[in-house]
Structures are given as C-alpha cells and as structure tokens.
C-alpha cells in the first residue's frame, strides 16, 4: 500500500456532517441576526479545542496501515523556522526537534536535537511524519478554525480588535501536536502579523500541574475509570459485543486480536478507529468493509469505552476535568465583575489546545442530567479539531425571565461553607463568590444581581442545550434554552467543580459516590 497519497482537501463549511471531521457553521447574515441580535453583546469567549488531524499514535494494524506516513511536508520547514526564531541550531539530517520527557515536565516548547532511530521514527522520506504528529491536513483544519474565529469575533462582531496584544490568553498541553495546533489556530485568527512586531505567549504547564486533560498518573482515577468503564461495556453489551464480533471477523484484524488484545481490558474500538479514521481522513485506502456505517459505530464504541464512564459518574468527571472547569469559571467571574465595574477583563478571549480526552469529559459536564446519568443517544468520539466555545453574553434590554427556577432560592452558598453541601445540591461552584450577587453600587445582595449575563456553549457547528437551562426561568426569554442565564449555567456544572481541597481529597481516596 502506498504511503505517499496526498491528503484529501478539507470540506467546506457547507459540507455534510462527518463523524471524523468537525464542521463549523456558515456565518451568513441570517445566522448572525439569529444568534447575535443587536441587544446582546459578547463579553468574553473561552475556546477549548482538540488538536487537528494526526497520524496514529503508533504503528498498529500493520496489515492495514502503511509503515510510513508521508503527510507532513510542512512540518520540517515550520520546525526549521521555529528553530531559527528561537535561536536553536538547525536540525541536521536524520534529526528532529521533539519533546524530551524531561522538557515536557518543565513546560519546554522544543527540546534539543535528538537523533532518530529506526525504532521510533518512520523511514526518512519527503514529508514523513512521526507517530502522533500533526499532519498537513491537521494544520489546515486548525488554521480554518482560527479563520472562523476571526470572521466571527473580529470581522462580523468587532469583539476582538485588530491588535490583539493583551487580549488573548493562550494555553496548550505539553504535546507537540497540541502546541502546533494552537499556533495554526492563532495563525488563522491573526494571519497578517509582522514578524518581530507582534509576539504571543503560549502557556504550557508542567505535567505535575496540568489540568487540561485527565492525569493518567493518578492511580486512583485510573482504577476507578477502569472499573466504571467495564461496567459501561457490560451495560452496553449487546451493541458492543456485536461490534467486537464483527471486528474479529475482519481478516486484516486477525493478528491484532491474536497478539495485542487483552480481553476485557484493551479498548478495541478506539484503537481500531485511531488507525482507520486517520487513514480515511488523509485519503489512504482502507478495506471496503470499513464503510461509513462501520466507522460511525467505531466512534460510538470508542465513546462507550472511554467517555461513558464520565457520563455515568459525576465524581469521576470531577476527577478528570473538574479543576480545569474551575479555571474556566474563574474567567467568567472575572469577566462579569470587570464588566460591571467598567474595566477591561484580564482575558477577553482564552484559547486552550487539548485533546479528545479534554473534550470528552467536558461534554459530560455540560450534558449530564441529574435525573438520568447515561450517555446521550448518538454520543460519538470527538472529531479532530473539535471545539467548545463558551460565550459570555450581556443583554440589558430583553425581558429577564419572570419565572424563578425551583433551585434559585435554595440555600445560599458562601465560599467557606460550600463544601458542607453535597455536590448534587449545590447551586453554583464553590469558586463563584457571593459578592457576585451584590448590586455593584450599594452592595445589597440579590439573587438576580447577575441577570444581565448569559452563557451559550457551542460544540462545533451547534449550540448545546444544557439540561438545567431547559428549566423555566433558566434561559433567555427570546433566544431560547440554548442561551442559559448565568445561574442556569452555574447550576449545571456546580456538582462537577470541586474545591482545591475536595479535588485533592477525591484523588487520594479514589472514592466514587452517587454524586
């Protein structure tokens, strides 16, 4: 099988939905009038995205997958340009700039030149990729995401200025593909910056302090994840076992199941999808049996293996992504307080570059219903370049809901007493200060002191309707249940956001409760 096939071009914004590629909405006049009426202004935007298309994580399924993926022609030139800008030596032949483990932990960007070996690198060829490397298709899709953000927030709404200095907060995980994805997103958002005239700081945390995706080094979380994952597979046994049986019947997968699969432990669907999905999206030929229907079932099977546990148990979702959600809430609170005080927020837009293991748990936080803790119909693996956008909106003109949600007047939650309230009874996260519910001018407390502010969450090309925001009085009276009142948004995520002490305690104990 040839490994030199050219990448397929990205679909247009009007292309049909794909289970492998994230789609973005078309910014028509009708779209803007519907979602951004004149009386509603954008106050803050938080963007969390998965990295772009990449090669598989390793050379798995050798009977199907090529040994060499020569789909990274832009990588070498961009790495060389980066090395020159950073004052690093040019990469000699058969060397590459990578993330050594010790530099990952220090939050380094590119480490020293490291010799390639046949064991860890593909055969050298024009445009060859390493395993797990962002490809040219991935670079293009991330640039496309950035261009969409520019078309919406700079050109159409005028929310972001032409000179972004001091207005953006950029953060990435320590993985090269995530850092490069953020760089290309930024390139699409601000494509005409003069070299040397404008610089952007990308923040990278050491692994010991990372919250942007679950820490696989947390033994308690890993153990719980495995236990709950096995339960999820049993609960979905008929569908999942049927998929497993069909995969075992595929001749090209015979060696994989014989040599690499541990029954009940190996996440079969996501490992097969990692190879097959990457091949399809890059225009490489796959066995005919992997048609659209089977690929879609693989994305659902992967979700059952990896994402369903987060939906099934809020305590596990807290351990996986709760500290990161807490940081997102801090941004919303600062933006509201700053806007009410008439001063600029610390961050006008934040962009976080993460992984499928970032998007998946976040979807659990945003979609779990307290009455039915199960994965929703149609749940599938987050596509490459998937993004969640948290928009904080302000509307002082539209009538505020006159109905009061049943939970609005529940027990007031003060920072020093919040931990005494069970997670499922909390009205808002512990890091939302009580001062947010005081009128700015006279300091009087009122549960509706934040009534001008709303939150809308986009997942790729659609608005997510959060369960609590469907409640009467918890959403915008004109724009509907997709635009939450600030308190409706807080209520949805409150039980998923532990305090720092609670996060440390749950991680140590590994105790999963019904909350």
């Amino acid at each position: 099988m040839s490994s030199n096939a050219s990448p397929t071009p990205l679909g247009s914004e009007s292309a049909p939905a794909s289970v492998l590629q994230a789609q973005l909405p078309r910014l028509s006049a009708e779209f803007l009038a519907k979602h951004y009426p004149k009386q509603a202004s954008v106050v803050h935007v938080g963007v969390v995205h998965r990295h772009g298309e990449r090669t598989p994580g390793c050379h798995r399924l050798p009977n199907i997958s090529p040994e060499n993926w020569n789909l990274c022609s832009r990588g070498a030139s961009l790495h060389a340009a980066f090395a020159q800008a950073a004052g690093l030596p040019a990469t000699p032949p058969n060397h590459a700039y990578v993330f050594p483990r010790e530099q990952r932990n220090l939050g380094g960007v590119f480490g020293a030149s490291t010799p390639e070996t046949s064991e860890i690198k593909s055969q050298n060829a024009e445009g060859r990729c390493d395993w797990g490397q962002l490809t040219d298709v991935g670079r293009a899709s991330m640039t496309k995401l950035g261009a969409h953000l520019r078309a919406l927030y700079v050109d159409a709404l005028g929310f972001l200025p032409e000179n972004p200095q001091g207005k953006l907060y950029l953060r990435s995980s320590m993985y090269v593909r995530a850092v490069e994805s953020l760089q290309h997103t930024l390139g699409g958002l601000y494509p005409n910056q003069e070299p040397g005239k404008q610089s952007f700081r990308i923040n990278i945390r050491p692994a010991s302090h990372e919250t942007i995706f679950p820490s696989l080094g947390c033994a308690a979380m890993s153990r719980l994840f495995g236990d709950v994952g096995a339960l999820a597979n049993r609960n979905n046994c008929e569908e999942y076992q049927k998929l497993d049986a069909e995969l075992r019947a595929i001749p090209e997968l015979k060696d994989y199941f014989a040599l690499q699969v541990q029954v009940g432990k190996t996440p079969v669907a996501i490992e097969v999808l990692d190879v097959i999905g990457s091949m399809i999206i890059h225009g490489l030929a796959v066995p005919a049996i992997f048609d659209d229907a089977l690929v879609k079932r693989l994305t659902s099977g992967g979700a059952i293996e990896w994402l369903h546990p987060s939906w099934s148990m809020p305590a596990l979702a807290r351990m996986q992504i709760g500290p990161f959600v807490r940081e997102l809430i801090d941004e919303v609170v600062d933006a509201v307080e700053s806007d009410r005080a008439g001063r600029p927020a610390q961050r006008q837009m934040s962009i976080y570059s993460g992984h499928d293991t970032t998007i998946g748990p976040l979807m659990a936080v945003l979609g779990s219903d307290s009455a039915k803790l199960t994965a929703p119909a149609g749940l599938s693996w987050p596509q490459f370049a998937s993004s969640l956008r948290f928009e904080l909106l302000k509307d002082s003109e539209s009538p505020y809901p006159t109905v009061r949600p049943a939970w609005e007047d529940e027990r007031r939650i003060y920072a020093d007493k919040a931990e005494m309230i069970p997670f499922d009874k909390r009205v808002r996260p512990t890091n939302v200060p009580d001062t947010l519910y005081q009128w700015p001018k006279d300091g009087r407390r009122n549960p509706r002191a934040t009534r001008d502010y709303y939150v809308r969450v986009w997942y790729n090309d659609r608005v997510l309707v959060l369960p609590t925001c469907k409640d009467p009085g918890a959403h915008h009276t004109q724009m509907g249940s997709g635009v939450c009142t600030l308190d409706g948004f807080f209520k949805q995520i409150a039980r998923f956001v532990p305090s720092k002490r609670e996060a440390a305690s749950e991680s140590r104990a590994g105790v999963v409760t019904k909350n």
Side-chain angles (χ1 to χ4, degrees):
M1 181 181 299
S2 172
S3 61
N4 296 314
S6 298
T8 53
L10 287 173
S12 67
E13 290 184 341
S14 59
S18 167
V19 296
L20 296 176
Q21 276 186 309
Q23 302 297 312
L24 296 168
R26 181 180 294 280
L27 301 181
S28 64
E30 293 76 14
F31 175 89
L32 294 172
K34 175 183 178 180
H35 295 288
Y36 300 92
K38 293 182 179 179
Q39 75 272 19
S41 59
V42 180
V43 178
H44 172 79
V45 179
V47 181
V48 185
H49 67 71
R50 185 190 178 190
H51 57 74
E53 290 82 347
R54 58 159 174 78
T55 57
C58 65
H59 190 211
R60 192 182 292 118
L61 311 186
N63 293 338
I64 298 176
S65 169
E67 182 178 357
N68 303 310
W69 291 62
N70 300 317
L71 300 167
C72 301
S73 61
R74 296 188 62 200
S77 61
L78 289 169
H79 283 208
F82 178 89
Q84 182 179 6
L88 298 170
T91 51
N94 299 323
H95 287 64
Y97 284 102
V98 298
F99 275 136
R101 291 186 181 275
E102 65 275 9
Q103 296 222 4
R104 290 179 186 177
N105 292 338
L106 294 174
V109 179
F110 281 91
S113 180
T114 303
E116 292 180 354
T117 67
S118 58
E119 288 77 17
I120 64 172
K121 299 289 182 181
S122 300
Q123 180 180 349
N124 195 9
E126 182 179 357
R128 70 100 177 94
C129 306
D130 196 359
W131 299 115
Q133 182 176 343
L134 191 71
T135 65
D136 292 342
V137 171
R139 298 176 195 280
S141 65
M142 299 315 299
T143 301
K144 179 181 177 182
L145 174 61
H148 177 81
L149 297 177
R150 178 179 181 82
L152 178 58
Y153 295 113
V154 179
D155 300 336
L157 302 178
F159 168 66
L160 288 177
E162 284 290 345
N163 180 3
Q165 189 65 36
K167 302 297 184 180
L168 296 178
Y169 175 76
L170 308 171
R171 183 170 145 208
S172 173
S173 79
M174 74 288 292
Y175 287 85
V176 179
R177 57 182 175 268
V179 177
E180 292 184 333
S181 292
L182 182 51
Q183 291 172 328
H184 285 280
T185 301
L186 189 59
L189 178 57
Y190 285 104
N192 300 316
Q193 299 300 307
E194 273 188 68
K197 297 291 185 180
Q198 178 73 62
S199 61
F200 299 91
R201 177 185 297 273
I202 295 180
N203 296 275
I204 302 175
R205 292 187 176 182
S208 57
H209 292 78
E210 186 58 85
T211 61
I212 207 168
F213 61 87
S215 172
L216 298 179
C218 175
M221 188 193 70
S222 297
R223 182 178 66 254
L224 294 172
F225 183 85
D227 293 343
V228 181
L231 176 62
N233 290 345
R234 288 198 297 273
N235 291 342
N236 294 274
C237 61
E238 183 177 353
E239 172 190 352
Y240 190 79
Q241 289 180 5
K242 184 179 179 181
L243 174 63
D244 181 83
E246 291 183 24
L247 293 175
R248 291 176 184 274
I250 298 175
E252 292 88 347
L253 298 182
K254 180 180 179 181
D255 289 345
Y256 166 68
F257 278 98
L259 303 175
Q260 300 182 40
V261 173
Q262 291 181 279
V263 178
K265 295 183 178 181
T266 302
V268 173
I270 198 60
E271 288 197 354
V272 174
L273 180 67
D274 184 52
V275 176
I276 298 299
S278 293
M279 291 180 68
I280 292 174
I281 213 165
H282 289 98
L284 302 178
V286 299
I289 193 171
F290 289 102
D291 57 12
D292 291 346
L294 181 54
V295 171
K296 186 174 182 178
R297 291 172 63 202
L298 285 173
T299 68
S300 298
I304 290 173
E305 291 170 337
W306 281 92
L307 303 184
H308 192 284
S310 303
W311 292 85
S312 304
M313 201 159 291
L316 182 57
R318 281 197 300 272
M319 295 174 69
Q320 290 179 312
I321 207 69
F324 178 57
V325 180
R326 183 180 177 88
E327 295 173 39
L328 297 177
I329 295 305
D330 283 339
E331 291 184 350
V332 171
V333 170
D334 175 71
V336 172
E337 291 179 332
S338 298
D339 186 76
R340 294 199 306 186
R343 65 175 186 269
Q346 292 184 17
R347 302 170 182 176
Q348 194 167 350
M349 174 182 278
S350 299
I351 305 178
Y352 296 90
S353 184
H355 305 263
D356 40 21
T357 49
T358 306
I359 299 294
L362 280 176
M363 293 291 282
V365 169
L366 298 169
S368 285
D369 189 324
S370 59
K372 189 178 182 182
L373 296 178
T374 57
L379 176 67
S380 62
W381 197 254
Q383 302 105 320
F384 291 113
S386 288
S387 61
L388 283 163
R389 286 185 285 124
F390 298 82
E391 293 179 331
L392 176 65
L393 306 173
K394 182 179 182 180
D395 183 355
S396 304
E397 299 181 21
S398 300
Y400 194 76
T402 55
V403 177
R404 301 171 76 92
W407 38 262
E408 185 177 90
D409 292 322
E410 289 182 13
R411 180 177 176 180
R412 290 162 55 186
I413 299 178
Y414 293 91
D416 59 342
K417 297 180 180 179
E419 293 180 10
M420 299 174 60
I421 302 173
F423 278 105
D424 60 335
K425 299 296 183 183
R426 295 181 185 180
V427 177
R428 60 181 186 266
T430 58
N431 59 322
V432 176
D434 195 64
T435 53
L436 200 68
Y437 293 86
Q438 296 175 355
W439 295 114
K441 292 184 178 180
D442 57 22
R444 289 185 299 113
R445 191 187 186 283
N446 187 297
R448 296 197 165 193
T450 60
R451 64 186 179 189
D452 291 345
Y453 299 94
Y454 300 83
V455 173
R456 175 170 56 203
V457 184
W458 290 88
Y459 178 55
N460 298 331
D461 59 352
R462 62 188 174 95
V463 173
L464 293 182
V465 179
L466 280 57
T468 58
C469 300
K470 300 176 185 178
D471 295 345
H475 53 260
H476 196 280
T477 54
Q478 296 179 359
M479 289 193 281
S481 56
V483 180
C484 305
T485 63
L486 191 61
D487 286 322
F489 176 67
F490 285 159
K491 174 62 176 174
Q492 171 63 34
I493 63 177
R495 64 196 174 117
F496 296 97
V497 185
S499 68
K500 293 181 180 180
R501 182 169 62 180
E502 288 170 330
S505 176
E506 284 193 322
S507 295
R508 287 194 301 268
V511 175
V512 174
T513 69
K514 293 182 180 181
N515 292 334

